């Protein structure tokens, strides 16, 4: 590797040198007088001092902006770089590299899933592979963070490379599709809440009307079992709730869910649902309401009010619903 100047060049298609990082830039005051010692196979020590202009820009095509922990390990400051994330894929299966990463004696890489499939034999040079860890590449991966995939929906978080799916499951900005029939809009749960009731109010095609509700107050819910779903709207917080009916051989299951991601930042709700017929009242009190990013029509296995067929009065259901914060 030639003189280290903030760029790492590629030498072979499957070696540790296969990390292409372009234009590593920091704020000038962070780069003054800082020594850098890249821990890469074939790397060399060099000193970088003075000021460098910020030449990073929004990544295009298959490149994405990433953040990396400073190699000094003292201040743990972050630098911004442009990186082709495809280069961080396994050269064998092309899947995303995750720790542990292995290399042969010639430095050719393979992910932990590929090594057994290759009978621990490097496809490039036939040397054994699967016993020597590539600590340098593992250090590279553990220091890279990239924007959350939900950036376009409003998330500003950076997550470590390879952990995007874990963050997405709990991201407050996970996309939710609009529950209105025939609508293909997708957005964050609050954007979907506002979009839904404005879409229904202005849509020329007849849609099932929604109902407004208020937290910590019991309200009536009327719906046809054949409609399967009734949307409740909290216009103050732009939040949607789905009341769903599932017709089963012995009766009807009714459940309530919040159309929102399962994020720790979301305040958990609970609900009380009751149905009265001939002076007899059936009640279900939920221990906690389930959050869903998309309405599912699969019969729930738990957390529902069951109404036997003998207690139904035709297709219409009239219930009392209370939603409060858990």
């Amino acid at each position: 590797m030639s003189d280290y100047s903030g760029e790492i060049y590629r030498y072979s298609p499957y070696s540790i040198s296969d990390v292409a990082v372009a234009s590593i830039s920091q704020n000038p005051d962070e780069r003054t007088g800082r020594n850098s010692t890249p821990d890469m196979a074939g790397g060399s020590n060099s000193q970088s001092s003075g000021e460098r202009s910020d030449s990073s820009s929004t990544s295009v095509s298959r490149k994405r902006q990433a953040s990396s922990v400073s190699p000094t390990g003292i201040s743990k400051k972050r630098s911004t770089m442009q990186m082709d994330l495809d280069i961080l894929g396994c050269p064998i299966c092309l899947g995303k590299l995750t720790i542990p990463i292995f290399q042969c004696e010639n430095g050719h890489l393979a992910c932990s899933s590929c090594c057994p499939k290759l009978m621990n034999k490097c496809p490039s040079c036939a040397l054994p592979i699967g016993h020597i860890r590539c600590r340098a590449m593992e250090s590279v991966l553990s220091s890279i963070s990239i924007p959350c995939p939900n950036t376009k929906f409003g998330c500003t978080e950076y997550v470590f490379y390879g952990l995007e799916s874990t963050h997405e499951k709990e991201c407050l900005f996970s996309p939710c599709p609009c529950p209105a029939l025939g609508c293909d809009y997708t957005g964050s749960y609050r954007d979907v809440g506002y979009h839904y009731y404005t879409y229904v109010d202005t849509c020329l095609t007849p849609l099932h009307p929604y109902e407004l509700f208020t937290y910590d107050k019991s309200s009536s819910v009327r719906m046809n079992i054949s409609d399967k779903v009734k949307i409740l709207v909290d216009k103050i917080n732009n939040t949607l709730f789905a009341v769903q009916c599932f017709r089963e051989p012995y009766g009807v299951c009714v459940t309530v869910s919040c159309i929102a991601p399962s994020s720790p930042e979301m305040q958990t709700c609970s609900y009380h649902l009751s149905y009265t017929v001939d002076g007899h009242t059936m009640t279900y009190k939920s221990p906690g309401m389930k959050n869903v990013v998309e309405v599912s029509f699969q019969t729930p296995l738990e957390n529902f009010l069951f109404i036997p067929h003998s207690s139904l009065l035709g297709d219409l259901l009239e219930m009392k619903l209370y939603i409060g914060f858990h």
Side-chain angles (χ1 to χ4, degrees), residues 71-302:
T72 61
I74 299 176
S75 60
K76 296 296 182 181
K77 294 182 180 179
R78 294 184 177 271
S79 62
T80 300
M81 65 179 68
Q82 297 295 320
M83 176 173 289
D84 186 347
L85 296 184
D86 285 348
I87 297 174
L88 300 181
C90 172
I92 311 300
C93 66
L94 304 182
K96 184 175 295 185
L97 279 175
T98 56
I99 298 173
I101 303 171
F102 296 95
Q103 66 176 13
C104 69
E105 291 182 1
N106 283 332
H108 301 133
L109 301 180
C111 68
S112 57
S113 299
C114 284
C115 289
K117 299 175 184 177
L118 297 170
M119 305 292 292
N120 294 103
K121 184 178 180 180
C122 178
S124 298
C125 63
L127 288 176
I129 192 170
H131 306 291
I132 303 175
R133 294 276 291 274
C134 185
R135 302 291 184 179
M137 179 60 89
E138 291 179 359
S139 296
V140 170
L141 289 187
S142 62
S143 67
I144 295 175
S145 59
I146 62 176
C148 169
N150 297 324
T151 298
K152 63 180 179 180
F153 299 114
C155 185
T156 58
E157 294 289 331
Y158 274 70
V159 295
F160 283 107
Y161 180 80
L163 300 180
E164 302 97 310
S165 59
T166 302
H167 170 76
E168 281 186 275
K169 293 177 182 178
E170 298 183 345
C171 180
L172 187 63
F173 295 89
S174 293
C176 302
C178 178
L181 296 176
C183 181
D184 58 0
Y185 177 85
T186 299
S188 66
Y189 80 98
R190 285 186 174 173
D191 289 342
V192 166
Y194 176 79
H195 162 83
Y196 175 79
Y197 64 77
T198 53
Y199 174 80
V200 173
D201 289 343
T202 58
C203 187
L204 299 178
T205 304
L207 297 173
H208 298 306
Y210 60 82
E211 289 188 12
L212 301 177
F213 84 98
T214 304
Y215 288 104
D216 298 321
K217 182 179 179 181
S218 181
S219 58
S220 297
V221 177
R222 292 168 54 92
M223 65 179 298
N224 294 321
I225 300 174
S226 56
D227 290 339
K228 298 183 179 180
V229 62
K230 179 84 170 187
I231 300 298
L232 306 181
V233 176
D234 166 26
K235 284 192 174 183
I236 298 177
N237 299 292
N238 288 332
T239 307
L240 303 180
F241 293 85
V243 182
Q244 293 181 264
C245 295
F246 302 88
R247 192 182 289 275
E248 297 298 311
Y250 301 102
V252 173
C253 300
V254 186
T255 186
V256 183
S257 56
C258 177
I259 301 179
S262 299
S263 171
E265 300 176 51
M266 288 287 299
Q267 190 166 3
T268 306
C269 294
S270 61
Y271 69 91
H272 300 172
L273 188 63
S274 62
Y275 172 78
T276 302
V277 59
D278 298 331
H280 177 65
T281 299
M282 288 161 273
T283 302
Y284 173 75
K285 296 182 179 180
S286 75
M289 185 182 297
K290 183 179 180 180
N291 287 9
V292 297
V293 294
E294 185 173 4
V295 175
S296 170
F297 291 95
Q298 182 177 358
T299 303
L301 300 178
E302 58 183 1

Side-chain angles (χ1 to χ4, degrees), residues 1-11 15-26 31 36 38-40 52 55-57 59 62-69 71 78-89 136-137 139-146 161:
M1 184 176 295
S2 59
D3 178 47
Y4 178 76
S5 59
E7 296 182 315
I8 302 175
Y9 294 91
R10 180 184 302 182
Y11 283 101
S15 69
I16 182 57
S17 307
D18 211 15
V19 182
V21 180
S23 303
I24 301 180
S25 63
Q26 293 181 323
R31 297 300 300 256
S36 176
D39 187 15
M40 305 283 290
R52 294 190 180 185
S55 60
S56 64
S57 59
S59 56
R62 302 182 69 84
K63 292 185 178 181
R64 296 185 63 184
Q65 183 171 311
S67 177
S68 177
V69 177
R78 294 184 177 271
S79 62
T80 300
M81 65 179 68
Q82 297 295 320
M83 176 173 289
D84 186 347
L85 296 184
D86 285 348
I87 297 174
L88 300 181
M137 179 60 89
S139 296
V140 170
L141 289 187
S142 62
S143 67
I144 295 175
S145 59
I146 62 176
Y161 180 80

